[in-house]
Amino acid sequence: MEQLIKEKIKQVKKGDQAAYSDIVGFYQNKIYQHCYRMLGNAHEAEDMAQEAFIRAYVNIDSFDDRRKFSTWLYRIATNLSIDRIRKRKPDYFLDAEVKGTDGLDMYSQISTEDRSPVEEVENLELKRYIHNEISQLPPKYRSIIILRYLEEFSLQEISDILDIPLGTVKTRIHRGREALRKRLRHV
Amino acid sequence: METHNKMIELMHRHLDGDLKKEEEVILRTHLEECVSCQHHFHDLKRTISLLKSVETIEAPINFTENVMAKLGAEKKHFKYKRWFKTHPLITAAAIFFIFMLSGAFVQFEGQSELVVSKQENLIVKGDTVIVPEGVTVEGDLLVKNGNLIIDGTVDGNVTIVNGELIDDDPLEGEGLMASVGEINGELNTVNKMFEWLWFQAKSLFKGVFSF
Ligand SMILES: [Zn+2]
């Protein structure tokens, strides 16, 4: 797959814009999901995920072919999401909660397997709770926890994506795990 | 307490696959006799499996189409940029010519003392400029030949020539707290002669082509 993506990037660099739509199609779910988990709502997630793909396209010439494209893309998406969180007005969350549609939105998009309706409800409650607890973490910790446990990157890959030393990734993941342990202990 | 904390450290390193054989024995032996650490370890592992149980979310329909439509709008700006990059020699020659005329070399090479575009409420310590906490710089900020620390806010673009932005990261030493200051604009760091020329050229061409 990585090889096919490399070919597509070569074409994009030569000016073939259509080749880029294959790249977006291939990564759209991963990047959208990552932004959703970082930001906690569908509206901002769509904005930032789109922006990530646009920035990657505009700066494609500065992408080094020897590296993994996905690493670069995740870095752009993470930085944009953190930036967005920092720029939020303090009353942002209140607004989102009053409107109250985001949560439902999210679950209508989740792909579910067959379960009994009761189990389903309990599960949704729990998952919503977990999502909410993750989104309470400061962005620096949140990004690492999401990349490690929800998206299953290795610590080394996380260090590459965020461009921070492996030691720092480890310190932050320890703290993130401790913070979540306290929050999820009574679940 | 001391021992428990050490054991918790070992638990985390175990979870990252970083434990040496002998450390593993130490942790296991302690877990056999310490109920509080058993609980801690159990909770950590449970936290991880809870995190892993969160389901996948798919992008909205038409996501790719929407991105491609937006790219159409970006295209114009992009074409110039691409042309400059695919014709580096012509571009470099043109830039060189322009700057020979405008005396930009003198501008870059001639100065080595610290220059700040604005100084209200900013602290200058040696060759470092600090935007203190609670201070908001309105408009763009340029720092030449020095480093910049932002604890407050810059409502505009930040350009640092011959220096860097220092993220002093107060999070590292202590608990989970709010982050460093912010830039509500673009950050540009220019450190080499060519980059400086490129940056100047970009602003120049932006000006030329922005009608
Ligand atoms: Zn103990």
Side-chain angles (χ1 to χ4, degrees):
Chain A
M1 200 61 229
E2 196 59 30
Q3 198 49 44
L4 188 74
I5 294 294
K6 278 203 162 93
E7 284 305 314
K8 293 281 174 199
I9 289 165
K10 263 187 206 156
Q11 290 169 18
V12 175
K13 282 191 174 182
K14 280 180 196 153
D16 177 2
Q17 192 177 319
Y20 194 64
S21 91
D22 295 336
I23 295 178
V24 180
F26 184 70
Y27 288 112
Q28 59 172 358
N29 287 339
K30 285 181 175 169
I31 293 300
Y32 175 80
Q33 168 168 272
H34 183 66
C35 292
Y36 197 120
R37 287 165 171 170
M38 285 296 294
L39 294 158
N41 72 82
H43 181 71
E44 283 185 307
E46 187 168 1
D47 273 3
M48 289 303 102
Q50 284 191 1
E51 184 65 20
F53 282 109
I54 289 167
R55 296 238 178 145
Y57 180 75
V58 171
N59 294 300
I60 196 86
D61 286 319
S62 67
F63 170 67
D64 178 353
D65 298 321
R66 288 163 300 179
R67 312 198 61 178
K68 267 178 103 172
F69 184 71
S70 58
T71 303
W72 193 59
L73 201 52
Y74 269 99
R75 179 186 302 174
I76 296 173
T78 308
N79 288 342
L80 282 170
S81 301
I82 291 178
D83 214 43
R84 170 58 71 99
I85 294 165
R86 284 182 176 171
K87 283 179 187 165
R88 270 180 190 159
K89 298 194 180 87
D91 58 355
Y92 180 83
F93 276 113
L94 275 177
D95 277 3
E97 242 164 85
V98 173
K99 282 178 204 144
T101 49
D102 283 330
L104 292 173
D105 238 32
M106 164 182 166
Y107 293 110
S108 64
Q109 286 169 13
I110 285 174
S111 49
T112 45
E113 288 153 43
D114 288 348
R115 285 191 215 91
S116 78
V118 177
E119 269 178 317
E120 188 104 347
V121 171
E122 281 174 359
N123 241 314
L124 283 182
E125 285 290 303
L126 178 61
K127 286 174 203 311
R128 176 178 302 199
Y129 185 78
I130 295 169
H131 249 288
N132 187 50
E133 291 305 314
I134 295 170
S135 68
Q136 302 292 314
L137 291 176
K140 280 185 180 181
Y141 299 86
R142 197 187 311 173
S143 54
I144 291 181
I145 289 288
I146 291 172
L147 287 166
R148 180 74 187 100
Y149 292 115
L150 282 67
E151 286 151 16
E152 304 193 313
F153 284 99
S154 71
L155 295 175
Q156 184 57 54
E157 284 170 320
I158 295 172
S159 154
D160 292 340
I161 289 172
L162 301 175
D163 200 19
I164 52 179
L166 189 58
T168 310
V169 174
K170 286 180 182 171
T171 314
R172 289 186 187 167
I173 205 165
H174 290 195
R175 295 211 186 116
R177 275 192 300 241
E178 279 301 325
L180 284 170
R181 180 189 65 88
K182 287 183 193 134
R183 289 167 173 278
L184 297 176
R185 196 163 31 181
H186 305 295
V187 171
Chain B
M1 205 57 214
E2 183 86 358
T3 336
H4 297 312
N5 284 342
K6 236 179 223 159
M7 291 303 143
I8 290 168
E9 175 68 25
L10 288 184
M11 289 174 203
H12 282 286
R13 292 190 27 224
H14 167 78
L15 294 172
D16 294 337
D18 283 344
L19 270 200
K20 295 190 198 105
K21 260 267 148 25
E22 57 266 34
E23 291 172 315
E24 227 176 282
V25 174
I26 294 169
L27 177 61
R28 203 183 317 134
T29 317
H30 182 82
L31 283 176
E32 273 163 19
E33 57 198 29
C34 177
V35 180
S36 115
C37 282
Q38 273 172 29
H39 281 299
H40 199 108
F41 194 43
H42 174 260
D43 287 346
L44 277 174
K45 289 212 240 179
R46 192 162 162 278
T47 300
I48 291 170
S49 55
L50 282 174
L51 290 174
K52 286 186 170 173
S53 76
V54 170
E55 277 162 309
T56 54
I57 302 162
E58 283 176 12
I61 38 169
N62 296 332
F63 183 90
T64 300
E65 288 80 352
N66 291 340
V67 169
M68 296 312 287
K70 283 195 177 174
L71 280 185
E74 283 284 338
K75 225 174 165 183
K76 227 164 94 191
H77 156 80
F78 185 45
K79 258 184 0 206
Y80 292 120
K81 205 177 141 190
R82 157 152 300 176
W83 191 88
F84 294 142
K85 288 212 169 166
T86 48
H87 299 83
L89 271 180
I90 301 172
T91 308
I95 294 170
F96 187 81
F97 184 69
I98 291 166
F99 284 94
M100 282 303 279
L101 291 176
S102 68
F105 286 110
V106 184
Q107 223 186 74
F108 190 81
E109 297 283 289
Q111 296 173 352
S112 58
E113 75 272 25
L114 179 72
V115 180
V116 194
S117 62
K118 285 195 175 123
Q119 281 185 314
E120 287 161 53
N121 302 325
L122 302 188
I123 301 170
V124 178
K125 264 192 201 159
D127 62 353
T128 304
V129 177
I130 304 166
V131 181
E133 225 179 302
V135 169
T136 302
V137 176
E138 280 162 23
D140 298 348
L141 181 66
L142 171 80
V143 174
K144 250 193 228 177
N145 305 317
N147 299 325
L148 177 65
I149 298 176
I150 302 180
D151 291 326
T153 311
V154 178
D155 261 339
N157 299 332
V158 172
T159 306
I160 304 171
V161 181
N162 246 350
E164 58 185 328
L165 182 71
I166 302 172
D167 181 2
D168 54 3
D169 207 342
L171 266 171
E172 278 316 300
E174 44 206 273
L176 311 175
M177 280 174 48
S179 194
V180 285
E182 57 183 330
I183 302 170
N184 295 325
E186 270 180 44
L187 171 68
N188 282 298
T189 315
V190 185
N191 273 324
K192 291 183 207 96
M193 184 66 177
F194 183 75
E195 282 180 40
W196 169 243
L197 288 177
W198 180 243
F199 176 76
Q200 285 284 334
K202 266 202 308 202
S203 358
L204 185 80
F205 283 117
K206 254 187 210 164
V208 173
F209 291 121
S210 65
F211 41 82

